[in-house]
Amino acid sequence: MSSSHLGTPKGTRDFSPQTMAKRQYIFNQIRAVFEKFAFLPLETPSMENLSTLTGKYGDEGDQLLYKILDSGDFLKNTSLEDYQGGSGSLLTKIASKGLRYDLTIPFARYVVMNRHHITFPFKRYQMQPVWRADRPQKGRYREFYQCDADVIGTESLLCEAEIVAMINEVFDLLGVRDFSIQINHRKLLNGISEVIGAPGKQAELAVSLDKLSKIGTEKVLEELLDKGFDKEQLDRLVPVFDLSGSWPELRQELEQFLNKSPDGAKGIADLEEIHNLILKLGIKNSSVTVNPTLARGLTYYTGTIFEVTIEDSGVGSVCGGGRYDDLTGIFGMPGVSGVGISFGVDRIYDAMEQIGLFPEQNLILAQVLLIAMDDHSQEFALGLLSRLRSREISAELYPDRAKLKKPLNYANKKGIPTVVLIGSEEIDSGKLTVKHMVSGEQERQSEEQLINFLVQGT
């Protein structure tokens, strides 16, 4: 195949070493926070049985599942009737597995399969790619990483407060200052549905409200009219769009608006408890605002809902999650409550790149390049290379004999900040020639001075 025909499938990307250095920087910060909060690592297979995945993400989600053809002669059990019946009937005969769509359903499957060996509450984190046959666009890919942390087996709202603490800590470590954590509660949404006179239509209401930030109030109201909500119900709904302010102010407004709804009262009580726990954990400026119209994860979230955005990045939600009271019930283990969040590394990367938040010193792929001027010098350089690496210094030795210009170009292109020239004079004097690539300055240093410089920067 000619190079002009090479490429990656739409919605997927290669990651260069420079890009990977930045991505690893994000992964490392998130992992450090997860482990600091006592979450345990877990991995599940890239593919799951389609029976595990199908029906868990709604009709739209089912359409976005990548199906895997069965190995061998996958057509052997099909008939003419299967083809005439369309893709739905044919699919069950030729594909029994699919790529995972998220990490939450595989996690639920794992918990049910291992419930007799797990200590509850079970805290796990998982950092793996997922796949969705979505339309690729800015900030949306068909293959992308999720970094999930979930606690399952407890209804305590301390878990929600700790999620807020983790989000704040992750973004603090990444140097992201301007972000917002929006929080809501499904029972608030249920209460709004009751109060406007549309009980039983919570799902339709929530689906439209979820589009508020994208399409605006007027379009949301139009969509609800099309769904069968009448003008009187929508007139009662309009005040919800203006609910805002700090939690104490908003709580009073919500209590007035939802005073006839038991579900609404429960949602307010939970948010009040979470607010107080956040304060008791000592999280100042927690970036949390309650948004009564926030509605995500409609197929399985039953309590608190989270959504995080980085201001002025234009990449949409970078983290989200919520509480689910019966996630494992779909696999025959009912009544186990849990709560979790998922960081979208690809979107965080795009936002940080756009804002310019990656620290250069963390992205250097090698600290020092050794250049041996002849065979005798190479023998000395190999010993020095081992001693540098034993001090946890990232170092490499230029492997070929070449004019000096070539290895110096190599160091420049790889962004290696320090080059050490080694010839017979350096070996005899014990003073190495050290070239600083950014400034162009050159000096003579002993091996000890070089190591101190590379370890401490002095």
Side-chain angles (χ1 to χ4, degrees), residues 312-342:
D312 302 320
S313 67
V315 299
S317 168
V318 295
C319 175
R323 178 168 286 276
Y324 37 82
D325 284 332
D326 196 25
L327 184 69
T328 54
I330 54 180
F331 298 122
M333 185 182 167
V336 182
S337 187
V339 61
I341 50 159
S342 179

Side-chain angles (χ1 to χ4, degrees), residues 360-376:
E360 285 183 29
Q361 68 271 21
N362 286 315
L363 306 175
I364 294 168
L365 304 177
Q367 289 173 263
V368 60
L369 174 70
L370 307 184
I371 302 173
M373 309 308 284
D374 51 47
D375 290 343
H376 174 61

Side-chain angles (χ1 to χ4, degrees), residues 45-46 100-103 127-131 143-146:
S46 299
R100 60 170 173 252
Y101 178 91
D102 70 359
L103 300 177
M127 304 171 73
Q128 289 184 277
V130 300
W131 294 267
E143 178 184 63
F144 55 96
Y145 264 80
Q146 287 184 339

Side-chain angles (χ1 to χ4, degrees), residues 195-209:
V195 166
I196 68 169
K201 296 182 79 171
Q202 295 96 325
E204 295 96 318
L205 177 66
V207 167
S208 296
L209 286 179

Side-chain angles (χ1 to χ4, degrees), residues 398-411:
Y398 193 76
D400 299 321
R401 293 285 165 274
K403 291 182 180 176
L404 196 53
K405 185 179 177 183
K406 193 170 181 182
L408 290 178
N409 279 341
Y410 174 82

Side-chain angles (χ1 to χ4, degrees), residues 186 189-190 193 198-210 223-224 227 229 295 298-299:
R186 282 303 300 274
L189 292 164
N190 293 349
S193 186
K201 296 182 79 171
Q202 295 96 325
E204 295 96 318
L205 177 66
V207 167
S208 296
L209 286 179
D210 196 35
E223 191 173 291
L224 287 168
K227 287 181 175 178
F229 288 78
L298 297 169
T299 49

